[in-house]
Amino acid sequence: MIAGISVNGQHSYYQHRLRMLSRDIGSPPKDDHTERVPYSNITYDFDEILGTSSYGERTLSYTFECLCTNRRKAQDQLIRIRHWLKWSGYMDLHDPYYPDYHFEVRAPEIIHHENHGVYTITVTFRANPAMLPDKAFAYTPDTCHYPDVNGDGVVDANDATLILKASAAIGAGTDTGLTDEQLILADADMDGTVTASDAALVLEYASACGAGQFSDSPANWAAFLNRYLALEEGIY
């Protein structure tokens, strides 16, 4: 297979005859969560305290080359390339340099130069920080619990509240107030226990639905779980 990238349903070489000259895959910048205590020499790293880190977007830059001495044909090809690399939101980008992973990228910045019919095109993407594994997703609507704990037909903050209360009750050894069926649904990540993590997961899903990333349904809950698992296994 000739080197190239696949994104937005097309391959850089097989659809556009772009020969890759170079790639530059950056690391995502780690967010600084350190705070210095006033009037002291002590600095706290809240990543260590909270046990987690966050990262900004990574940069992916590719340089391609194509030969075309006919100005109008070159013009048409450049326009096709720009149409190919134009979209809203994020697209999956596959680079054979990492055959088992992919990146989620925004529409790139495109710069091209021409020298005696040789066109050099540099494409720079901004990508979500995690490099995500390619694998068959584990969950379908039939294999996961749709955590509509209160049975009102939607998964929202009300369900998260019930899950959080049940988690606290389990920790205190008191009655959760939920039926056995509701407790099964409250185990949103299906790890066998009802904890605050299940409530946080439901809140994250409700927020994603509110932002228009998902429309609330059992199928989209399964899709959200698959994405959540992929992000958990992503490489930063």
Side-chain angles (χ1 to χ4, degrees), residues 52 121 144 169 174 205:
T52 185
I121 302 169
C144 64
T174 59
Y205 171 71

Side-chain angles (χ1 to χ4, degrees), residues 203-218:
L203 280 176
E204 187 175 342
Y205 171 71
S207 176
C209 289
Q213 298 176 24
F214 296 92
S215 57
D216 184 29
S217 70

Side-chain angles (χ1 to χ4, degrees), residues 109-121:
E109 176 187 2
I110 305 168
I111 300 174
H112 74 268
H113 301 280
E114 185 270 342
N115 184 22
H116 300 291
V118 178
Y119 289 80
T120 304
I121 302 169

Side-chain angles (χ1 to χ4, degrees), residues 71-83:
R71 293 289 185 180
R72 284 194 168 81
K73 287 183 178 180
Q75 166 192 271
D76 292 344
Q77 184 175 9
L78 290 171
I79 289 173
R80 284 195 300 271
I81 290 169
R82 289 186 177 274
H83 284 167

Side-chain angles (χ1 to χ4, degrees), residues 32 83 95 121 150 219 222:
D32 182 8
H83 284 167
D95 182 337
I121 302 169
N150 63 5

